[in-house]
Amino acid sequence: GDFNSRIGHDIDFIKGEKCGYESFIPLPEDYTPQELPTRNSKDKKSNNYKRPFLEMLVNNELHILNGRTLGDSYGDFTCIQTSGASVVDYFIISPNCSKY
């Protein structure tokens, strides 16, 4: 799908019980807090599409590989236009498929 979401440096998982997400993302009863490598991003901005995108990731236990893997350790821009650059295209994976 196409969320057109900019999430800046926000994390894509719940680190613990009190990390701020619980105020806007309803968590499943069986959600297990996780610890993942830091995700880098050259895009420092976020937009209004951030919340539904992060909610979808958290509720489905999916993770962003951009800025977290070899070949993109800096979280390079995915959209470069004359008006500016952003990260709006994400490579998302289930942790069951691969270790980072």
Side-chain angles (χ1 to χ4, degrees):
D2 192 353
F3 283 83
N4 290 318
S5 179
R6 294 178 74 178
I7 63 172
H9 282 188
D10 283 10
I11 59 173
D12 56 338
F13 62 96
I14 303 297
K15 289 179 89 167
E17 291 181 25
K18 300 289 183 192
C19 67
Y21 279 128
E22 61 277 350
S23 64
F24 70 89
I25 296 178
L27 296 175
E29 288 282 328
D30 60 346
Y31 190 86
T32 304
Q34 301 166 357
E35 194 62 42
L36 299 173
T38 301
R39 186 182 64 80
N40 298 306
S41 180
K42 289 185 177 179
D43 190 356
K44 311 294 186 232
K45 297 180 181 179
S46 62
N47 63 16
N48 291 335
Y49 301 112
K50 170 179 78 170
R51 181 178 170 170
F53 181 64
L54 290 174
E55 184 174 323
M56 185 270 303
L57 294 177
V58 169
N59 285 330
N60 292 288
E61 297 186 43
L62 300 172
H63 305 294
I64 298 170
L65 292 182
N66 304 56
R68 187 180 270 149
T69 59
L70 291 174
D72 188 33
S73 57
Y74 298 109
D76 287 327
F77 294 113
T78 61
C79 179
I80 300 172
Q81 300 180 353
T82 56
S83 59
S86 62
V87 175
V88 291
D89 300 301
Y90 299 95
F91 189 70
I92 300 169
I93 192 168
S94 165
N96 298 327
C97 293
S98 174
K99 289 293 179 196
Y100 305 58

